[in-house]
Amino acid sequence: MSIDGGAGRRPYLSVDLGLAALAVALAALTTIVVTSSSVLSATVNDRFDVAIITAATLISGSVAALDWARGRVAHDPAALLRSSAFAVLALLNGLTLVVGIVGADSVLGGTIENPGQLPIIAGVVARAVAAALLVAAGWVSLSRGVPSLRPGLVLLAPATAVLAVMLIAALMQEALPRLVPQEMLDAIAADPAALMAGGTAPVLAAIQSIIGIGFLAAAVLAHRLFRRSGRAADALLAAGLLVAAFSQVHSAIHPGSYSGLVTIGDLLRLIFYGLLLIGVVAESRDDLADLRAATMEVRRLAEAEFAAVALEERARLAREIHDGLAQDLWYAKLKQSRLAQIAGFEGETKQLNEEMGDAIDSALSEARNAVAAMRQGAESGPLLDILTRHVDDFGDRFAIRAELTSRGPAPEIGPRAQAELLRIVQEALTNVRKHADATVVRVEVVTDGDLRLTVSDNGRGFRPEGGSAGFGLESMRQRAGVIGGHLSVTSEPQNGTRVELTLPNARREGTNAE
């Protein structure tokens, strides 16, 4: 997707405006939550809380796996770092889900009735590491010359470190730092929907703000990457990280790390994971589009290579016939003429000598025609220019009035299609010279989406249903079929012949014309 010109800038402008509108909406929501006492900032709903954590675990784990696979296959260090970040988030969400299911949350201070420091510290550590990894991924995406990373180490090392911190913290709960004062925890137990009073937990607020700034920085880097790549997945990642940044602000306002407690921060995280899921779908679509484009490019290059080899071979054969067979026939013609002068043939021997001379002349003419056809078939350039040279040369050499007309835009077909089309025209003109006894031949090229090429003459014609093999019609039909075209022949005795080739979608590069 190009950003040059007005049409190219519009998609980027739409994304920019969408992100700006999202930031304004999130800021307005945060302001309303802080200033309005009528807004419910939290609620107790066990099923909804489990559903949010389950969805977060599944999505973050899936995104981590997909990014890790992408990083390994494409040797993309940014994808590996993103996979590590989402693996850390999947670890946090998965442990929270498991602890709640097995009922260990009461022991670890994870219930509303007995809220403790461990759930808050675990969330802070995991999200801080994830934010740092996402910032690193964004920086790597926009940088050059970044060294390769070991996929397994990048995936497992941060998650293992976070898990170790969580286990150590679980073993020494009494010695954990008090990010939230005990009186605030008691207030949460008494009224889960109550907001933390300003200045109640300055350390937690500062830490959550720093993590929020980290997610915001990652969002900016993802947006810059989108401006470079134009991929929808990068724009959705930027939007999701922006939502994650504001979710950290809401976590400072009301820590929702306890079982059954659903806060606005939790809802924002659910939106974040939803945007990630949409981004995965968009990225898969973009990857499929890139794969199709790469496949078409490979096909185009293969066709071009095939055509180049075929043209080179034709040029080689033309040189060999000119330098070998044609010269030998010319030498035989000279010797035959010299022999007739010396021997003074009479009667039947004279007739046989003349027939032999005619046969040599015919063979020499065929050799010259073959050389000319091969050389013309080996030409490259615009189709109409090559056809013009071929038709003019045909008329000059055989004293037949030959005309070329064209209507519509210049045909745009691949090298393989062009080579086969020229051979069909050469075969049709050869049939006119050999069999039609015509005085006029017309070649017409019409391009109106499809390419229609017609070779018509005013010769004696024939009955197509007779299936005369000498006319080479089957060969022309096979050539037309190779490039996805259709060949039809219309002729009547004493009323000329019309050969028409139709090539669908000739204006579309990479279609049947290839």
Side-chain angles (χ1 to χ4, degrees):
M1 185 182 298
S2 173
I3 62 174
D4 295 332
R9 284 192 293 268
R10 277 195 290 270
Y12 296 125
L13 180 60
S14 300
V15 171
D16 293 345
L17 292 176
L19 290 174
L22 178 61
V24 171
L26 292 170
L29 173 64
T30 304
T31 302
I32 293 173
V33 170
V34 172
T35 60
S36 177
S37 59
S38 61
V39 176
L40 186 65
S41 61
T43 185
V44 178
N45 190 319
D46 292 333
R47 291 184 177 180
F48 192 25
D49 184 47
V50 171
I52 291 176
I53 297 175
T54 302
T57 303
L58 293 175
I59 296 174
S60 56
S62 300
V63 174
L66 291 172
D67 274 332
W68 186 69
R70 180 187 182 89
R72 287 196 62 188
V73 173
H75 303 287
D76 184 358
L80 293 175
L81 290 169
R82 284 196 301 269
S83 72
S84 182
F86 294 125
V88 170
L89 294 177
L91 173 67
L92 173 65
N93 296 321
L95 288 177
T96 302
L97 182 63
V98 172
V99 166
I101 292 176
V102 301
D105 48 352
S106 58
V107 177
L108 299 175
T111 61
I112 300 175
E113 295 80 8
N114 183 30
Q117 300 289 335
L118 179 59
I120 297 176
I121 292 176
V124 165
V125 171
R127 294 187 182 104
V129 172
L133 289 169
L134 289 170
V135 170
W139 178 80
V140 167
S141 297
L142 296 170
S143 301
R144 296 180 180 177
V146 178
S148 59
L149 302 175
R150 296 180 61 181
L153 183 62
V154 173
L155 178 68
L156 298 177
T160 302
V162 169
L163 179 59
V165 171
M166 290 180 181
L167 292 176
I168 294 173
L171 295 175
M172 47 182 300
Q173 294 187 55
E174 296 299 327
L176 293 178
R178 301 291 174 177
L179 299 183
V180 179
Q182 186 59 45
E183 56 270 19
M184 186 59 203
L185 295 178
D186 295 339
I188 292 176
D191 184 6
L195 292 176
M196 292 177 59
T200 302
V203 177
L204 177 62
I207 293 175
Q208 297 285 34
S209 298
I210 293 172
I211 297 174
I213 292 172
F215 279 117
L216 185 61
V220 172
L221 293 172
H223 174 256
R224 288 184 60 187
L225 183 60
F226 164 74
R227 298 283 296 191
R228 175 187 293 182
S229 68
R231 293 170 68 93
D234 294 326
L236 288 166
L237 178 61
L241 291 172
L242 181 60
V243 173
F246 276 89
S247 73
Q248 294 303 122
V249 177
H250 284 268
S251 294
I253 297 172
H254 193 307
S257 304
Y258 304 105
S259 299
L261 184 61
V262 180
T263 67
I264 293 179
D266 294 327
L267 296 178
L268 291 178
R269 290 190 187 94
L270 182 61
I271 295 173
F272 164 59
Y273 288 116
L275 289 172
L276 284 182
L277 183 61
I278 298 173
V280 168
V281 175
E283 189 163 26
S284 299
R285 183 195 62 191
D286 290 342
D287 287 343
L288 182 59
D290 291 344
L291 180 60
R292 288 174 176 170
T295 301
M296 295 305 301
E297 180 66 12
V298 170
R299 285 185 57 192
R300 187 188 68 79
L301 292 175
E303 294 287 355
E305 180 68 17
F306 176 83
V309 172
L311 295 179
E312 183 179 351
E313 182 65 13
R314 287 177 182 174
R316 185 187 67 81
L317 291 174
R319 290 193 300 270
E320 290 187 358
I321 293 176
H322 179 270
D323 298 338
L325 178 61
Q327 296 299 326
D328 291 342
L329 289 172
W330 181 250
Y331 182 75
K333 174 64 177 176
L334 290 176
K335 293 300 182 181
Q336 180 268 334
S337 300
R338 179 63 175 162
L339 179 63
Q341 293 174 358
I342 296 175
F345 293 131
E346 298 291 341
E348 184 177 355
T349 56
K350 181 179 181 180
Q351 181 179 355
L352 289 174
N353 182 70
E354 291 176 351
E355 290 176 354
M356 184 175 64
D358 292 341
I360 294 175
D361 287 338
S362 178
L364 185 59
S365 177
E366 289 294 333
R368 288 171 176 171
N369 291 337
V371 170
M374 287 182 181
R375 284 177 175 172
Q376 289 165 345
E379 290 183 289
S380 60
L383 175 63
L384 290 179
D385 292 348
I386 299 175
L387 282 176
T388 299
R389 291 195 296 270
H390 191 185
V391 171
D392 290 345
D393 180 71
F394 177 83
D396 293 340
R397 285 194 295 126
F398 301 109
I400 299 176
R401 181 182 171 187
E403 301 174 350
L404 173 69
T405 59
S406 64
R407 290 189 288 115
E412 296 179 5
I413 60 177
R416 173 72 183 279
Q418 181 165 300
E420 296 295 346
L421 186 146
L422 290 173
R423 294 298 296 158
I424 291 172
V425 173
Q426 291 166 2
E427 182 68 25
L429 291 177
T430 299
N431 287 339
V432 172
R433 176 179 62 82
K434 287 184 175 181
H435 308 290
D437 193 22
T439 59
V440 178
V441 60
R442 292 183 174 88
V443 179
E444 183 181 26
V445 180
V446 179
T447 308
D448 55 359
D450 296 343
L451 171 64
R452 293 196 300 276
L453 187 145
T454 305
V455 180
S456 58
D457 64 70
N458 65 343
R460 60 191 178 189
F462 69 104
R463 295 189 183 278
E465 60 272 14
S468 176
F471 280 42
L473 298 182
E474 185 59 31
S475 172
M476 288 191 287
R477 287 194 177 97
Q478 290 175 357
R479 291 184 182 275
V482 166
I483 57 177
H486 174 72
L487 188 84
S488 62
V489 179
T490 306
S491 182
E492 293 180 2
Q494 309 306 320
N495 200 26
T497 301
R498 177 185 176 91
V499 177
E500 182 172 353
L501 169 67
T502 301
L503 195 60
N505 302 318
R507 293 283 297 172
R508 208 178 307 163
E509 192 71 20
T511 59
N512 291 336
E514 282 292 331

